[in-house]
Amino acid sequence: MKLNKFYYAFAFLFYLVSTSFYVYTNYETSRQKLFADIDARLVQSALRIPTVLPENFHHIGMNKNEVSPQEDGKHIKTLSIHAKLSGVEYIYSCIKQGKDVLFTSSSATDEELKKNENLSHYFDVYDDAEEKLHEAFLSKKMVFEESTDKWGHFRSVFIPQVSSDGQFYIVCADVKIDYINQELKQILKKSIVELIFYMVILIPLFAAYFYHNKRNQQLLESEVKRRTRELKTLLDNSDQGFLSFSGDMIIHSQYSAKCGAIFKKEVHALNIAELLFGEDEKQKSAFVSNINALIGDNDALRVENILSLLRSEFMIAKKIITVEYRKISTETFMLILTDVTEKRALEKRLEIEKNKLQMVVSAIENRSELFELLGEYSEFMANRRDLVEDEHSALDNITKIYREVHTFKGLFAQKDFIVTPMGLHKLEEKLSLSLDDTTSTNEQLFTLMENAELENWLERDLAVLEQVLGKNFLEQKDAITLTCTDIDKLNTEIRLCAKDAQLQEEIIERITVKVGRLKEKPLAEELSPYSKLVE
């Protein structure tokens, strides 16, 4: 609605300016025409002077005594008649001697003629000669001038002339233009009336269009609000949060209800960078810089690539939130927030179960190697205090223990143990730091090994095996598995021994050999644990 009001105001202002311009141009055109007519009349009147005065009236060396008052009076009357016929106030001619401007002829008004029949102006000094008149003498070019004095408002022309013998003089004409202001006022009034008329006749049209457009806009706004409500309902019932913001980082008023649940507060008018990064000024600044760099960028591929590099996972209110970035207009960006806390927890549980399963399978497949490793590790745990030998330097002891810890870490990792390799890795890191510290002592190393939770790490892994495979699996580490076929064969041999006394010794020998072979393993089974080591 505000936008439409702006358009209406602009249209009205444009119409007002246009009509005002029309009034001004009409006024100015009329004024220029009036002055053009006046100027033409002035020029025509001034140029009559040389034709009216006697031939060679103006000549080099002319002086005050050449023309008598009677002759000058005749010239005055003649020029006055021509001035009256031309509709001007005065026509006159001047010369300049030194700094003085002198009248050589002049007309007179009817009032002046009635007051003094012997009126004479010849060689009178023009005391109040206008500046433009002096300018005409200097430039020798025609000059127009407007002036106002106690007798009224005048417009004058000064036209340079040269006599046949080279005398320079000026012919002049004055006209009273007080009446022009009245005419211009009338023209201005007429133009203003026309302006008001044109504005009045347009008001009904503007009103009709305004109300028609207002009605259409109300219907459109109603439809937009309805669709916005529907869309917001859909978004609010989604498990994702949707919000938008611009280059100022301020979140817009429209966002889904899930955003409030994720941030534990209403986010309208808040700064998105502060919500996501908190007090981390470095990441906050980088985020703002990257977003601002994309404003106005129309390269879709570049925009997508930069957005894909932005941080996509956050810990917000103790929940893991993933963020997808979208640029939806030149300056507007949208975030899609998804709570993946439960998904991550499930993935973690699945990963743990997967690791447990791998450890169980590895234990079953390589049972003998497992028990051999457990035996060696048990010996390492029992003798860990003795590994710190006083007769050796701390560096030698650390190096030796570091090697053993590193070996056990690798062996347990091959058996897919979970906790023990991680614990040994942490112990290995501490030993590595001690190697770099030249001030390390045997006492410090002894304390480190004393406090290492070697038994606890192993117990946690063995508890998993015990839970899945049972206690017997770990207790029967030397057990030999017999198939039913093996048992049946042994029973057959024993029965033959009982039936045939002559063959007892031979049968017993065969049984002894078979029982001995029960401890043997196939070569492939013996070599299979080394496949992971080779990898």
Side-chain angles (χ1 to χ4, degrees):
M1 189 65 185
K2 290 181 179 179
L3 190 61
N4 267 348
K5 285 182 177 178
F6 170 77
Y7 284 141
Y8 284 123
F10 178 77
F12 179 77
L13 182 62
F14 178 78
Y15 178 74
L16 184 61
V17 170
S18 299
T19 50
S20 299
F21 180 73
Y22 162 75
V23 171
Y24 169 76
T25 52
N26 186 49
Y27 172 82
E28 189 63 25
T29 301
S30 300
R31 181 179 177 279
Q32 290 177 0
K33 186 176 183 303
L34 283 172
F35 275 97
D37 292 341
I38 291 170
D39 290 345
R41 196 192 321 160
L42 286 171
V43 171
Q44 185 179 15
S45 301
L47 292 177
R48 284 177 178 269
I49 296 173
T51 63
V52 172
L53 294 175
E55 189 177 353
N56 296 325
F57 179 79
H58 291 93
H59 58 275
I60 293 175
M62 61 189 305
N63 56 73
K64 185 174 180 63
N65 298 320
E66 285 188 3
V67 178
S68 65
Q70 292 77 13
E71 288 180 309
D72 186 41
K74 292 179 181 179
H75 296 159
I76 290 173
K77 290 180 181 179
T78 304
L79 291 175
S80 298
I81 293 170
H82 284 284
K84 191 173 183 180
L85 292 174
S86 299
V88 298
E89 198 75 12
Y90 296 101
I91 56 176
Y92 50 96
S93 60
C94 306
I95 63 171
K96 191 171 185 180
Q97 290 185 350
K99 294 182 179 180
D100 294 331
V101 176
L102 306 175
F103 284 105
T104 54
S105 67
S106 176
S107 65
T109 62
D110 291 342
E111 291 77 9
E112 290 172 335
L113 291 172
K114 289 178 181 179
K115 289 179 182 178
N116 187 0
E117 292 183 358
N118 297 319
L119 192 63
S120 176
H121 294 300
Y122 186 70
F123 258 70
D124 285 350
V125 177
Y126 193 172
D127 293 326
D128 54 353
E130 301 294 343
E131 183 180 346
K132 292 289 185 179
L133 179 55
H134 290 283
E135 181 183 326
F137 275 107
L138 290 173
S139 66
K140 298 183 179 181
K141 293 180 181 179
M142 181 171 63
V143 178
F144 288 95
E145 181 184 47
E146 270 188 57
S147 60
T148 302
D149 56 25
K150 60 183 179 180
W151 290 286
H153 187 190
F154 292 90
R155 184 167 179 80
S156 307
V157 66
F158 310 115
I159 305 174
Q161 298 287 308
V162 181
S163 66
S164 58
D165 61 354
Q167 174 64 43
F168 181 77
Y169 64 101
I170 302 289
V171 291
C172 314
D174 298 338
V175 66
K176 207 169 186 179
I177 57 172
D178 292 333
Y179 71 94
I180 288 181
N181 291 331
Q182 296 298 325
E183 290 190 24
L184 290 176
K185 286 180 181 178
Q186 293 299 322
I187 293 171
L188 183 60
K189 287 181 181 178
K190 180 182 177 183
S191 298
I192 292 174
V193 169
E194 289 179 357
L195 170 63
I196 295 172
F197 173 75
Y198 291 139
M199 291 180 64
V200 168
I201 63 174
L202 277 177
I203 289 176
L205 179 61
F206 266 109
Y209 183 76
F210 174 78
Y211 286 113
H212 173 74
N213 200 35
K214 182 179 180 181
R215 175 60 180 165
N216 288 341
Q217 189 161 353
Q218 287 174 343
L219 294 174
L220 180 60
E221 287 179 353
S222 176
E223 179 65 15
V224 169
K225 288 180 181 178
R226 184 185 68 80
R227 293 189 180 184
T228 302
R229 285 195 300 270
E230 291 178 354
L231 179 58
K232 193 172 190 311
T233 301
L234 290 174
L235 295 178
D236 287 345
N237 286 280
S238 170
D239 286 334
Q240 293 178 303
F242 299 87
L243 59 85
S244 61
F245 63 94
S246 300
D248 58 2
M249 300 295 133
I250 301 302
I251 298 173
H252 299 163
S253 58
Q254 296 296 327
Y255 57 89
S256 65
K258 187 66 175 179
C259 293
I262 290 173
F263 292 103
K264 303 299 182 184
K265 57 185 173 183
E266 297 301 319
V267 298
H268 169 51
L270 298 182
N271 188 298
I272 184 61
E274 293 180 358
L275 282 177
L276 293 178
F277 299 99
E279 301 301 322
D280 192 336
E281 295 296 332
K282 185 176 180 180
Q283 290 202 41
K284 191 190 304 181
S285 177
F287 175 80
V288 172
S289 297
N290 286 324
I291 291 296
N292 287 331
L294 297 178
I295 293 176
D297 193 334
N298 297 320
D299 188 337
L301 181 60
R302 181 173 180 275
V303 170
E304 183 180 353
N305 286 337
I306 292 180
L307 290 178
S308 68
L309 296 175
L310 298 179
R311 181 176 168 183
S312 60
E313 190 167 294
F314 299 85
M315 181 63 72
I316 300 173
K318 298 182 179 180
K319 292 184 178 292
I320 302 172
I321 307 298
T322 61
V323 177
E324 295 179 53
Y325 301 88
R326 298 282 188 275
K327 186 180 181 186
I328 57 178
S329 73
T330 303
E331 297 182 357
T332 305
F333 298 84
M334 181 178 74
L335 298 190
I336 304 173
L337 302 100
T338 307
D339 185 349
V340 296
T341 307
E342 293 184 2
K343 180 182 177 182
R344 290 286 187 272
L346 178 60
E347 289 174 350
K348 187 175 182 180
R349 288 196 297 270
L350 290 174
E351 184 68 20
I352 292 172
E353 293 301 321
K354 177 184 175 183
N355 293 337
K356 287 181 179 179
L357 180 60
Q358 286 179 341
M359 182 172 66
V360 170
V361 171
S362 180
I364 294 173
E365 288 180 344
N366 306 290
R367 182 173 176 175
S368 60
E369 287 80 6
L370 171 62
F371 287 120
E372 183 180 351
L373 174 59
L374 292 176
E376 293 175 356
Y377 187 68
S378 296
E379 185 179 348
F380 172 73
M381 291 189 293
N383 299 328
R384 61 180 166 179
R385 296 174 184 83
D386 299 332
L387 295 174
V388 184
E389 300 176 357
D390 293 334
E391 61 271 17
H392 293 108
S393 66
L395 179 61
D396 291 339
N397 288 327
I398 294 170
T399 303
K400 179 179 65 175
I401 295 172
Y402 180 89
R403 244 187 339 258
E404 290 200 41
V405 170
H406 182 74
T407 300
F408 279 119
K409 182 184 78 169
L411 292 172
F412 278 111
Q414 288 180 40
K415 301 300 181 215
D416 295 308
F417 274 50
I418 302 169
V419 180
T420 307
M422 292 174 61
L424 290 172
H425 179 71
K426 292 179 181 179
L427 177 59
E428 186 182 39
E429 287 181 338
K430 293 178 181 178
L431 290 169
S432 179
L433 292 174
S434 298
L435 281 173
D436 296 333
D437 187 359
T438 56
T439 63
S440 297
T441 64
N442 281 330
E443 289 75 11
Q444 292 172 337
L445 178 59
F446 184 85
T447 302
L448 176 62
M449 295 304 296
E450 183 75 16
N451 295 332
E453 299 180 8
L454 301 176
E455 295 85 358
N456 180 45
W457 300 335
L458 182 61
E459 286 174 5
R460 289 169 64 183
D461 282 331
L462 293 180
V464 175
L465 293 177
E466 186 177 312
Q467 182 183 3
V468 178
L469 300 175
K471 291 183 179 181
N472 293 336
F473 177 80
L474 296 175
E475 292 174 355
Q476 298 174 355
K477 61 181 179 179
D478 295 327
I480 297 174
T481 303
L482 294 178
T483 65
C484 291
T485 301
D486 293 332
I487 294 173
D488 290 342
K489 286 181 179 179
L490 287 174
N491 283 334
T492 301
E493 294 288 348
I494 292 170
R495 290 191 193 99
L496 287 173
C497 182
K499 291 180 180 180
D500 193 342
Q502 296 179 351
L503 297 175
Q504 280 185 356
E505 185 175 344
E506 182 183 347
I507 293 171
I508 290 173
E509 181 65 24
R510 288 204 306 268
I511 292 174
T512 302
V513 172
K514 288 182 178 180
V515 171
R517 286 182 176 176
L518 290 175
K519 296 180 180 180
E520 297 176 355
K521 294 181 181 180
L523 181 60
E525 185 177 331
E526 288 291 323
L527 295 176
S528 62
Y530 297 100
S531 60
K532 289 188 177 180
L533 180 61
V534 172
E535 290 175 4

